[in-house]
Amino acid sequence: MKKKEQHTTGRLKKKDVRAFLIDLFAGQPGEVFTLKDLFNIIRAKNHPTKMLVVDVIDEMLEAEFLWQPSRGVYALNPDSIEDGEEDESFIGKRYVGRLEVERNYAFLNVTDRRLGRDIFIPKASLKGALNGQKAVVEIVDWPSPAKNPIGRVVDILGDSGDNTAEMHAILAEYGLPYEYPAAVTKAAERIDPGITREEIARREDFRDVLTFTIDPKDAKDFDDALSVRRLKDDLWEVGVHIADVSHYVREGDIIDREAQHRATSVYLVDRTIPMLPEHLCNFVCSLRPGEEKLCFSAIFTLDAEAKIVRWHLAHTVIRSDRRFTYEEVQPVIDKRQETTDSRELTEALRTLWHLADKLRTRRFKSGAIGFDRPEVRFEIDEKGTPLRTYIVESNESHWLIEEFMLLANRSVAESVAKCHIGTSDAIPAKGNPKVMPYRIHDVPDPEKMENLRAFTARFGYKLKTEGTKTEVSRSLNKLLADVKGKKEEALVEMVALRCMQKARYSIHNIGHYGLMFQHYTHFTSPIRRYPDTMVHRLLTHYLDGGRSVSATKYENLCEHSSEMEQLAAQAERASIKYKQVEFMGARIGEEFEGTISGVTEFGLYVECDDNHCEGLVPIRDLEGDYYEFDEKNFCLIGRRQHHRLALGDKLVIRVARANLEKRQLDYAFVRKLKSEQ
């Protein structure tokens, strides 16, 4: 047999040898080779090069890629051929990672740990990519004897460490789009934002009713507004006005197909990847102050206790008088100051909060569960570098908006379920409910709830896991209230959240356990959620006398929307973790005070008190003693000196390692704070 020789010049590297041997053995699965054969084929003439070949061969034996039919003879492991046949399922899949480019080939170091190995890329399939760049690679082949799949570069994201490249890599990792198709953008830009007299005549006119938006200070897409006016001394009309996206985006057009595919906007640390093109979400549909806008609105008449006297759905035209931020509204609600605009706006905000407070109190009395977890935010510079971190917590200004959105979503869902679409008729009509996407949330898993009960009992808490849904949810709320401010708060909340099912979309209405609503949908955010757009279209269709639509079609759309929502949430968390690692990576060697937020058999999770960045103190790095994990008491205990490091303890830690590729942050233990000893 004529042996294939390694035609390279210069000093060989380990990766060169590995790639060549993979190709050699995989290409000739029935052949055997001695070390002398391999030395000759690779042209390893000096001792260092021969030792390099031996090292690679040893690694291949350990990985069971090779085997020794007899002493000193090497061949492809037959088992690896059989195993490789299963790898065909990976063909066509895409992975993201960092490229290591050599002269004649490259490897993609993948981010996704599930693949478990790098992807080999021939030079002809590099698409001009350079060493160190982030790229999207598609697996095109996985020859059955080979351990590494073969891929081709699909897209080059940019240099590793570049902020946009890294954010796009996170999106690509979760299969989310990071660019907008030019044809869709152009189609959106052709949409005329003008409103004709004929269109206004077909709608209820709210342009002269006091109306405003309340949003985060950095928001650009205002998809909901509130109007309020007094009808009588004890009656108020509150309009929940939602951007009428479906007026501009027609079902099946190029914009709609792209929105349906995306299903949701994605909110990363430093950017929003919108579901709709910017021209639509930030301009045409956005309820910007001083501009006439088309809406789909739920108009409520409420008494002083925020009970619905009557309500109806209507296509409307509005003109927002003011754009508020949450930060502006909160001191007005607190009565610490008035708005800078008018006494009328001040009174309107306080009236709406009074009504929202009634709605919120009644909701929690009915058993709604209160998971109010703070959100980590970053202040970043123009290059995307994190300058500081901070926490945003919900307060009354957020709850004001939340309660009226919940009221609209619940009322719309109930009217469909009871066959009196868009009205306040309390008596269910005859016939079957028409098809509609609901937002559903199933009851917690009983086994997980029992585990939560046993877990919290260690801290002295009691939890009711049997009885009615309301009784169980009230007991859970009491638990969450009791742990507030305690050192075990974060851990108990995390375990409790894991007991909950994930909320999702479905045409099969089972109610929403977390909100304790029998009927609930998503109607209030069509700019950023596709299910809301579906709901708008179906409501309009049914109000016009249309027949029920295909259940199969809409259940499939619900499933897709649920999946995309979960992927978007995962990408958001990944971007937060990346920025935390980047932020602390610039502070290697610096010391911080922190709190033990988790204890495991492999170390301590510590969250810094001032910047909320969580990292791991590996148990192997704890010096001065041999620490063992006490699972029952959530602590590590030194075997010799009996030092105890427990959940909630205050520590001083030092930033030891920050791996941006893996999004991992390691701390070194400095000392336990004296006040906690």
Side-chain angles (χ1 to χ4, degrees):
M1 182 197 77
K2 185 177 179 180
K3 303 288 194 301
K4 179 180 178 182
E5 293 189 350
Q6 166 77 318
H7 296 287
T8 60
T9 59
R11 185 175 178 180
L12 285 173
K13 297 179 181 178
K14 194 171 187 177
K15 289 180 181 177
D16 298 308
V17 175
R18 180 182 64 175
F20 181 82
L21 290 178
I22 287 172
D23 183 55
L24 175 68
F25 282 102
Q28 303 176 72
E31 292 293 328
V32 296
F33 301 88
T34 65
L35 273 178
K36 186 176 180 180
D37 291 334
L38 297 174
F39 291 159
N40 289 334
I41 294 168
I42 296 178
R43 294 182 177 178
K45 297 180 179 179
N46 55 43
H47 183 72
T49 307
K50 290 179 179 180
M51 289 301 97
L52 188 61
V53 174
V54 171
D55 285 345
V56 174
I57 290 293
D58 286 343
E59 289 177 0
M60 289 181 163
L61 287 170
E62 186 176 351
E64 298 182 348
F65 178 76
L66 301 181
W67 73 302
Q68 290 183 281
S70 60
R71 184 166 180 165
V73 177
Y74 304 91
L76 185 70
N77 186 348
D79 290 339
S80 72
I81 299 175
E82 296 173 2
D83 292 340
E85 292 173 357
E86 300 175 1
D87 292 334
E88 291 184 4
S89 63
F90 288 91
I91 293 174
K93 289 191 176 182
R94 293 186 174 187
Y95 292 89
V96 182
R98 180 174 53 83
L99 289 166
E100 291 188 8
V101 181
E102 302 295 341
R103 185 166 56 183
N104 297 314
Y105 61 89
F107 279 95
L108 183 82
N109 295 325
V110 295
T111 306
D112 192 332
R113 299 173 192 169
R114 292 171 296 179
L115 185 62
R117 58 204 69 195
D118 297 339
I119 300 173
F120 178 81
I121 305 168
K123 183 178 181 180
S125 301
L126 269 174
K127 202 178 177 180
L130 303 175
N131 186 56
Q133 288 187 320
K134 282 289 179 76
V136 181
V137 168
E138 181 180 75
I139 294 178
V140 296
D141 193 15
W142 199 328
S144 58
K147 286 292 184 181
N148 291 76
I150 299 171
R152 67 180 182 90
V153 172
V154 175
D155 197 10
I156 303 166
L157 302 176
D159 295 335
S160 293
D162 174 78
N163 184 63
T164 294
E166 295 294 351
M167 294 299 105
H168 284 182
I170 288 173
L171 292 166
E173 180 183 341
Y174 290 98
L176 297 168
Y178 45 89
E179 293 179 328
Y180 232 98
V184 181
T185 300
K186 289 179 181 177
E189 290 172 349
R190 288 195 293 267
I191 291 177
D192 184 357
I195 303 173
T196 64
R197 291 181 179 178
E198 292 76 15
E199 186 60 41
I200 291 175
R202 286 192 286 266
R203 294 173 176 257
E204 289 191 28
D205 194 341
F206 276 77
R207 288 176 295 175
D208 292 330
V209 182
L210 184 65
T211 304
F212 44 81
T213 61
I214 307 175
D215 291 280
K217 59 185 177 182
D218 57 351
K220 295 178 181 177
D221 55 338
F222 312 134
D223 54 8
D224 59 78
L226 295 176
S227 68
V228 59
R229 58 182 165 185
R230 187 192 296 270
L231 302 178
K232 296 179 181 178
D233 287 345
D234 58 348
L235 287 181
W236 295 89
E237 179 194 81
V238 177
V240 180
H241 305 286
I242 309 302
D244 194 355
V245 171
S246 59
H247 175 82
Y248 298 100
V249 181
R250 300 299 183 181
E251 186 172 7
D253 71 13
I254 187 173
I255 302 172
D256 181 60
R257 293 197 301 272
E258 182 67 21
Q260 184 184 111
H261 169 67
R262 292 174 178 241
T264 181
S265 294
V266 184
Y267 296 89
L268 300 188
V269 165
D270 67 332
R271 67 194 63 203
T272 298
I273 297 83
M275 182 182 78
L276 296 173
E278 183 179 358
H279 182 64
L280 278 176
C281 65
N282 290 356
F283 296 98
V284 175
C285 297
S286 184
L287 308 183
R288 308 193 321 167
E291 298 179 7
E292 293 183 351
K293 296 292 181 178
L294 301 181
C295 290
F296 203 0
S297 306
I299 313 300
F300 296 93
T301 298
L302 304 174
D303 66 17
E305 294 300 311
K307 293 181 179 178
I308 300 174
V309 176
R310 58 184 174 272
W311 80 278
H312 70 282
L313 278 174
H315 289 92
T316 61
V317 57
I318 72 164
R319 181 169 43 232
S320 175
D321 295 282
R322 176 72 148 80
R323 183 253 164 138
F324 284 108
T325 66
Y326 291 119
E327 292 80 3
E328 290 174 313
V329 169
Q330 189 58 44
V332 177
I333 292 174
D334 291 342
K335 298 186 177 178
R336 288 185 278 120
Q337 65 182 56
E338 298 189 355
T339 69
T340 57
D341 304 83
S342 68
R343 180 68 184 171
E344 184 184 17
L345 273 170
T346 297
E347 289 304 315
L349 287 171
R350 290 175 181 169
T351 295
L352 285 174
W353 168 241
H354 167 80
L355 296 170
D357 188 35
K358 298 288 185 183
L359 291 168
R360 185 175 177 84
T361 300
R362 196 154 57 238
R363 184 164 61 87
F364 280 104
K365 189 175 181 180
S366 298
I369 299 169
F371 283 109
D372 266 336
R373 306 209 77 187
E375 297 180 10
V376 178
R377 298 285 177 85
F378 295 82
E379 180 184 317
I380 57 177
D381 65 15
E382 65 280 357
K383 294 182 179 179
T385 304
L387 304 177
R388 74 178 185 96
T389 68
Y390 59 97
I391 289 289
V392 174
E393 297 190 79
S394 294
N395 55 25
E396 290 86 350
S397 62
H398 297 81
W399 300 339
L400 186 159
I401 292 297
E402 179 184 20
E403 291 305 324
F404 285 110
M405 298 306 116
L406 292 175
L407 179 66
N409 289 332
R410 184 189 68 188
S411 300
V412 166
E414 185 178 68
S415 75
V416 175
K418 294 185 177 180
C419 302
H420 50 79
I421 297 171
T423 69
S424 53
D425 192 346
I427 302 174
K430 292 181 180 180
N432 296 320
K434 289 181 165 59
V435 170
M436 177 65 65
Y438 293 93
R439 181 67 167 176
I440 63 172
H441 186 218
D442 210 345
V443 297
D445 182 283
E447 184 177 344
K448 289 183 178 179
M449 284 295 287
E450 179 56 30
N451 291 339
L452 176 63
R453 185 204 62 75
F455 167 72
T456 54
R458 300 177 188 177
F459 299 99
Y461 300 107
K462 293 182 180 180
L463 176 66
K464 186 179 181 66
T465 59
E466 296 181 350
T468 66
K469 289 197 299 185
T470 301
E471 289 172 340
V472 173
S473 63
R474 284 176 178 168
S475 180
L476 183 55
N477 271 337
K478 184 178 185 306
L479 170 67
L480 295 173
D482 289 344
V483 300
K484 285 291 182 187
K486 306 288 178 60
K487 65 180 184 180
E488 62 269 14
E489 176 184 357
L491 186 61
V492 169
E493 283 192 348
M494 180 185 70
V495 176
L497 269 173
R498 289 177 178 173
C499 293
M500 299 293 110
Q501 306 278 11
K502 282 183 168 52
R504 57 191 175 89
Y505 298 102
S506 176
I507 64 167
H508 305 294
N509 181 29
I510 62 170
H512 196 294
Y513 177 78
L515 295 171
M516 208 53 68
F517 290 162
Q518 290 184 351
H519 314 285
Y520 190 64
T521 190
H522 271 171
F523 165 80
T524 53
S525 294
I527 286 179
R528 61 185 180 89
R529 295 187 305 224
Y530 194 74
D532 303 56
T533 302
M534 289 194 285
V535 167
H536 279 217
R537 286 183 180 142
L538 290 177
L539 288 170
T540 301
H541 173 68
Y542 295 149
L543 288 170
D544 289 341
R547 300 177 65 180
S548 194
V549 295
S550 166
T552 301
K553 171 187 173 180
Y554 278 90
E555 183 63 13
N556 289 337
L557 287 170
C558 284
E559 289 178 2
H560 172 70
S561 297
S562 299
E563 290 170 5
M564 296 303 289
E565 177 188 40
Q566 292 302 317
L567 290 173
Q570 292 172 33
E572 179 183 358
R573 289 192 292 269
S575 76
I576 290 171
K577 188 62 182 178
Y578 183 91
K579 286 300 174 188
Q580 288 180 325
V581 175
E582 183 181 8
F583 179 78
M584 296 304 274
R587 290 155 178 80
I588 298 291
E590 294 184 24
E591 294 184 357
F592 296 88
E593 291 186 4
T595 304
I596 297 178
S597 54
V599 185
T600 70
E601 65 274 8
F602 48 85
L604 305 168
Y605 283 100
V606 179
E607 182 179 291
C608 290
D609 294 338
D610 62 346
N611 58 45
H612 311 286
C613 294
E614 186 180 64
L616 177 70
V617 178
I619 196 169
R620 66 177 181 273
D621 292 349
L622 289 172
E623 299 177 352
D625 208 338
Y626 180 83
Y627 284 86
E628 296 177 328
F629 177 44
D630 182 346
E631 183 177 7
K632 183 177 180 180
N633 296 300
F634 295 93
C635 66
L636 298 180
I637 300 176
R639 181 182 293 177
R640 294 190 302 271
Q641 300 181 32
H642 306 294
H643 289 161
R644 188 173 183 271
L645 297 170
L647 187 74
D649 283 352
K650 297 287 186 180
L651 308 179
V652 175
I653 54 89
R654 182 171 57 253
V655 184
R657 293 173 292 274
N659 188 324
L660 277 172
E661 286 291 322
K662 296 181 179 179
R663 298 194 283 271
Q664 291 178 350
L665 187 59
D666 284 354
Y667 294 148
F669 172 74
V670 177
R671 67 180 183 277
K672 188 175 178 180
L673 289 176
K674 292 181 179 179
S675 59
E676 294 292 329
Q677 290 180 338

